[in-house]
C-alpha cells in the first residue's frame, strides 16, 4: 500500500464548476499537508500549505484536512481553463522537514 | 532573481552511458533536494544536500546513483551505467534553510534512456 493515495484521473469539468481533489494517507504521524500544481513539462509550484486538521482558504482555493479520516481535499471554485494542470498532494511529518511524500497527482482539465 | 535552474532540460543517453544532471539553486539558497518522477507517478524523494554535505540520501538507489553539492558550482546528480528504468523526470528544489516544505522546484530534467 502506498503511503499517499491519489486518484490519477483524468478529471474533466466545464468552466465555472467546483472541483474537488482528494488524497488519502496511511501514516497518522503526518502533520503538514501541501497541494502543488504542475503544468505540463514544468516543475511543481506550491499552492496551499496546511497544518494539522482544519480548513484554509486562498482566493478560489480551499484546502481541508481531516486527520481522523486521514483524508485531505483541495476545492477549486469558479474553475478556469488556466487551472488545467496536474495537482499533487504532499505531506510530511514535521514542520520544516526535508522530505516530502507525494501522491501520484490528479490530471485536471477545465473545458471552456 | 532567477528561479531554480536545471540543465539540461532534456537528456538522451544510451544504455550503459553516464548521465549528469545539474541544478543551480536560487540565489541565497544553500539547501538542495532531488526528486524523481516516473511516468504517471508522483515525485519520490531521492536526496537532500547542503553545501559540501549529503544530509539524507535515504531515497537514493544503492548503486549507480550519486549526488554532490560542492562549495562552488551547481549540485550534480550523477547516474552511472544508465538503464531504461532510469528514464524519468528529475526535479531539483532549493530552500534558504533546512525546510523542505518551503523549497522551490526547478523545471526538471527529462532523461530518456534508449
Amino acid at each position: 500500500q502506498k503511503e499517499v493515495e491519489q486518484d490519477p484521473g483524468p478529471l474533466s469539468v466545464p468552466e465555472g464548476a467546483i472541483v474537488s481533489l482528494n488524497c488519502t494517507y496511511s501514516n497518522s504521524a503526518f502533520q503538514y499537508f501541501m497541494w502543488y500544481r504542475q503544468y505540463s513539462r514544468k516543475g511543481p509550484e506550491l499552492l496551499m500549505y496546511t497544518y494539522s486538521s482544519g480548513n484554509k482558504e486562498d482566493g478560489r482555493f480551499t484546502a481541508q484536512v481531516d486527520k481522523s479520516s486521514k483524508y485531505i481535499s483541495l476545492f477549486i471554485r469558479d474553475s478556469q481553463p488556466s487551472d488545467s494542470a496536474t495537482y499533487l498532494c504532499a505531506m510530511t511529518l514535521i514542520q520544516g522537514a526535508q522530505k516530502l511524500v507525494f501522491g501520484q497527482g490528479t490530471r485536471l482539465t477545465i473545458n471552456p | 532573481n532567477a528561479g531554480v535552474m536545471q540543465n539540461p532540460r532534456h537528456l538522451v543517453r544510451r544504455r550503459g552511458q553516464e548521465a549528469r544532471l545539474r541544478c543551480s539553486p536560487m540565489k541565497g539558497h544553500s539547501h538542495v533536494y532531488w526528486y524523481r518522477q516516473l511516468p504517471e507517478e508522483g515525485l519520490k524523494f531521492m536526496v537532500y544536500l547542503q553545501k559540501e554535505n549529503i544530509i539524507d540520501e535515504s531515497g537514493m538507489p544503492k548503486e549507480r546513483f550519486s549526488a554532490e553539492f560542492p562549495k562552488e558550482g551547481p549540485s550534480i546528480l550523477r547516474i552511472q551505467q544508465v538503464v531504461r528504468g532510469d528514464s524519468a523526470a528529475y526535479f531539483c528544489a532549493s530552500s534558504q534553510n533546512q525546510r523542505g516544505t518551503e523549497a522551490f522546484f526547478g523545471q526538471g530534467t527529462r532523461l530518456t534512456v534508449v
Side-chain angles (χ1 to χ4, degrees):
Chain A
Q1 182 189 7
K2 292 181 181 177
E3 272 193 292
V4 180
E5 297 274 4
Q6 184 175 5
D7 186 340
L11 181 61
S12 181
V13 301
E15 183 176 355
I18 296 175
V19 177
S20 172
L21 303 166
N22 312 294
C23 288
T24 58
Y25 61 95
S26 57
N27 188 346
S28 57
F30 284 135
Q31 297 274 9
Y32 291 84
F33 304 91
M34 288 141 284
W35 285 95
Y36 288 81
R37 178 174 61 196
Q38 185 177 21
Y39 290 114
S40 182
R41 303 293 183 180
K42 302 290 185 184
E45 56 176 324
L46 181 64
L47 275 178
M48 304 280 289
Y49 181 169
T50 311
Y51 167 67
S52 196
S53 286
N55 294 358
K56 186 173 183 179
E57 189 173 319
D58 184 0
R60 296 184 295 109
F61 297 88
T62 299
Q64 282 187 354
V65 174
D66 181 349
K67 289 193 70 181
S68 63
S69 301
K70 298 193 196 122
Y71 187 88
I72 69 171
S73 301
L74 178 71
F75 297 96
I76 307 174
R77 290 186 302 280
D78 187 25
S79 55
Q80 305 293 312
S82 58
D83 295 328
S84 298
T86 295
Y87 289 79
L88 298 146
C89 64
M91 46 200 78
T92 188
L93 298 174
I94 58 173
Q95 186 178 17
Q98 291 84 42
K99 184 189 309 184
L100 305 180
V101 181
F102 282 85
Q104 68 182 109
T106 299
R107 190 178 302 172
L108 172 66
T109 300
I110 309 297
N111 301 302
Chain B
N1 186 14
V4 178
M5 303 300 292
Q6 290 188 249
N7 65 81
R9 292 292 309 277
H10 301 275
L11 182 61
V12 179
R13 284 288 177 264
R14 294 187 185 279
R15 281 177 293 171
Q17 289 184 320
E18 178 179 288
R20 281 184 176 241
L21 288 62
R22 287 178 290 278
C23 169
S24 296
M26 288 179 69
K27 188 175 182 180
H29 287 193
S30 58
H31 301 256
V32 165
Y33 316 79
W34 285 93
Y35 285 80
R36 176 165 63 175
Q37 187 174 34
L38 293 168
E40 307 303 322
E41 291 192 20
L43 282 76
K44 297 281 193 276
F45 171 84
M46 298 182 76
V47 62
Y48 161 53
L49 310 102
Q50 294 179 23
K51 280 285 186 181
E52 300 185 273
N53 290 301
I54 297 173
I55 307 301
D56 181 354
E57 56 181 348
S58 58
M60 287 277 271
K62 293 289 184 281
E63 297 177 350
R64 303 187 297 108
F65 284 73
S66 62
E68 63 177 12
F69 189 15
K71 187 176 180 181
E72 301 291 338
S75 175
I76 306 286
L77 180 67
R78 182 181 176 205
I79 311 172
Q80 295 179 292
Q81 299 176 314
V82 296
V83 300
R84 289 251 172 90
D86 297 333
S87 295
Y90 292 82
F91 289 95
C92 166
S94 75
S95 63
Q96 201 168 27
N97 49 38
Q98 56 186 20
R99 292 172 180 255
T101 48
E102 299 174 10
F104 292 87
F105 281 84
Q107 303 271 42
T109 293
R110 276 153 186 85
L111 172 66
T112 302
V113 179
V114 296

